[in-house]
Amino acid sequence: MRVTIREVASTAGVHYGTVSRALNPDTAHLVAKKTRERVQKVADELGYTPNTIARGLKKNRTQTVGVVVPDIASPVIGHLVRGVEDRLSPHGYIALVANTDDDREREQTQIRALMGRSVDGLIVASAHLSGPTLEELAEHRIPVVHANRHGHGESIASVTSDDAPGVYSVVDHLVRLGHRRIAYLGGPLDTSTGQTRSQAFRFAMAEKNLAVDEKLVVHAKTFRTKEGEQLAAALLAAGEEFTAIVAGNDMLAIGCLDTLRTHHIACPDDISVVGFNDMPFVDKLSPPLTSVKVPHYDIGTEAAALMLQLMHAEASSPRTVLLPVALVVRESTGAAQVP
Amino acid sequence: MRVTIREVASTAGVHYGTVSRALNPDTAHLVAKKTRERVQKVADELGYTPNTIARGLKKNRTQTVGVVVPDIASPVIGHLVRGVEDRLSPHGYIALVANTDDDREREQTQIRALMGRSVDGLIVASAHLSGPTLEELAEHRIPVVHANRHGHGESIASVTSDDAPGVYSVVDHLVRLGHRRIAYLGGPLDTSTGQTRSQAFRFAMAEKNLAVDEKLVVHAKTFRTKEGEQLAAALLAAGEEFTAIVAGNDMLAIGCLDTLRTHHIACPDDISVVGFNDMPFVDKLSPPLTSVKVPHYDIGTEAAALMLQLMHAEASSPRTVLLPVALVVRESTGAAQVP
DNA sequence: AATGATTATGCAAACGTGTGCTGTACATCG
DNA sequence: CGATGTACAGCACACGTTTGCATAATCATT
């Protein structure tokens, strides 16, 4: 059996209420220094650890935040979760992670499971969030922070990468290299990143006074390399000429590289390829992939920081954080092929 | 405010104890079908969800298992955790993950934090586990399963990959290609995988009647690419001849490839390189890395399965699971250079 | 020395469940 | 018809804390 506050009290010769106060930083000033020290010592000797469950029941706070992600096995998500953890744990909070596979039903189930465990807050990095679930969350008045995705309007706090300038810098980079006919292989339009980047691409092209050939714009249904391969092949088969592909993320870009290789098309000599996210090891690909560095770890820490603010109900603070990204030029982009 | 069992009871016109029994599958048979159905209906209408915290306090079980990992951001660990989650969640359990960075102190802190939250079990994939902590765990009589690492003796359940045959198949593969002078660049000897694979290498070499040149055996302090680079450079600088490097994992192997490239040594033409784990995307490296596929996802599911057994205290079952690995031959290994 | 102010501690009621025990109503049996 | 058994529901305590309130102890002030 685990040692309780009463045992500490009896061996220290004080009432258990006093022990509670002595051990709690907020109330420690209410107990005399002498007894506080004695209690502290006895608690250490007995190896007392407060029962978080009992405390949670009483205070209605569990020092736990739920983290809802599409897939913890994905490298970018892993870094995000790591950031959350690192920022949260010094404050005594711990993360409860749940995978959804971007599946609406599973999302709902997982969020319910988290709510049932009385998490103090919810960081949501999963793509969708169905209506009923959102309502439930509102009912429980539980703080919610969106990470790596935009919220519904501005009502929900969110922290994301500032993708638009990133996409612009990609297009700018390609244009400077002489590219004019640029294909776009984007991610799912029902995800926040898929949509944002797609719009940003059109905007950037307009900015450069370049026409967007609709035949050169395709969108994947998932962010998987396999689909990148297929869509890249489809772009090639369409017969429209182009000298560069901007991909919605690195996975899709890797698919492109594979397809180019199987078609014996040289990259970057014939066609340049750009990814997004700058995942680990894309610098080791052949050719090393030009990409846009997205600070997923920092997204995690910022989301956690925002969550801490919300939970402690500090004065209203900036609710929407945009983190800067940076183009990383490598060898998958080069001068446009002369026609 | 959240709806409690008492509200359900009063609107259904029964005692709250009855509601508790009616809603709990194990005790539902104790209440008449008619009232049980009425209670059920009222509970649904009111949107009652049992308070897991209160239940946890009473039953001393939280339907939660702690998962202690070195770094959730690492791709292999991500897959492992994913496996744990997938196997656990259908049973209503949820995973509480904690990173340790393989740091002894942090390990202790995190495990304490998990224990304080009354987890029902602990899956430990972190490298070390210092003495005092182990004792604490034993005191609490909490089920522990080691994943991806061997336990202390056979007293603790564990599930790992069967690395020895994997290493043997690597050496065998190289020998068949004509390699005789083979270097070993292993992981930290104070980690389970580092030690197992190192021993297995010596054993495999002996099996093949090949001498192990101690100047060609080095061990990293961490599993990082940077250290792979440095140690590979050190091997080259040592002046001993060799035609192949067996690395303790893919990260170290990637470091080797980088060093070979900067030294303008061709791989595999001059020196072959083999990794271990078969991480995502090592097939996209240049050259694509020959490696040993370790089923980290399955290690996760198996560890979770074992944990479920232990928690439900089913009859004593196989406590040590070894999962098979498979050599995946790619282009980083080739025929030995003729002298 | 008595009074008031301040500080330190004890007391006990919650928080929302689970569950052993008790009591009641009804059926069954001799 | 009385005794016994069975099925169901109520009662109240316990799980380990926190915390408002009351009380005791200490100290300063007049």
Side-chain angles (χ1 to χ4, degrees), chain A residues 1-2 49-58 60 62-64 70-75 78-79 81-82 85-86 89 92-101 106 110 112-118 140 225 229 251 254-255 258 261 279-281 284-286, chain B residues 1-2 49-54 56-58 60 62-64 70-75 78-79 81-82 85-86 89 92-101 106 110 112-118 139-141 225 229 251 254 258 261 279-281 284-286:
Chain A
M1 261 304 150
R2 167 171 183 167
T49 48
N51 185 328
T52 320
I53 303 298
R55 175 178 295 169
L57 178 60
K58 186 66 186 159
N60 211 23
T62 55
Q63 298 279 100
T64 303
D71 181 11
I72 187 70
S74 139
H79 282 93
V81 173
R82 186 64 209 265
E85 252 255 343
D86 284 356
S89 80
Y93 286 87
I94 203 164
L96 214 40
V97 307
N99 295 296
T100 66
D101 284 322
R106 191 156 176 188
Q110 296 281 41
R112 286 243 178 83
L114 291 174
M115 298 300 304
R117 274 173 180 75
S118 315
H140 287 78
T225 58
E229 283 182 42
M251 298 291 239
I254 289 173
D258 285 345
R261 193 174 305 113
M279 292 192 326
F281 305 123
K284 314 281 188 196
L285 296 176
S286 120
Chain B
M1 262 300 151
R2 171 171 182 164
T49 48
N51 185 328
T52 321
I53 304 299
L57 178 58
K58 186 64 186 164
N60 213 23
T62 55
Q63 298 279 100
T64 303
D71 181 11
I72 187 70
S74 139
H79 283 93
V81 173
R82 187 63 212 267
E85 253 254 342
D86 284 356
S89 79
Y93 286 87
I94 205 165
L96 216 40
V97 308
N99 295 296
T100 66
D101 283 322
R106 192 157 175 188
Q110 295 282 40
R112 285 243 176 84
L114 290 175
M115 298 299 305
R117 274 173 179 74
S118 314
E139 267 179 40
H140 287 79
R141 296 180 199 292
T225 58
E229 282 182 43
M251 299 291 238
I254 289 173
D258 286 344
R261 192 174 305 114
M279 293 196 322
F281 305 122
K284 316 279 189 195
L285 297 175
S286 123

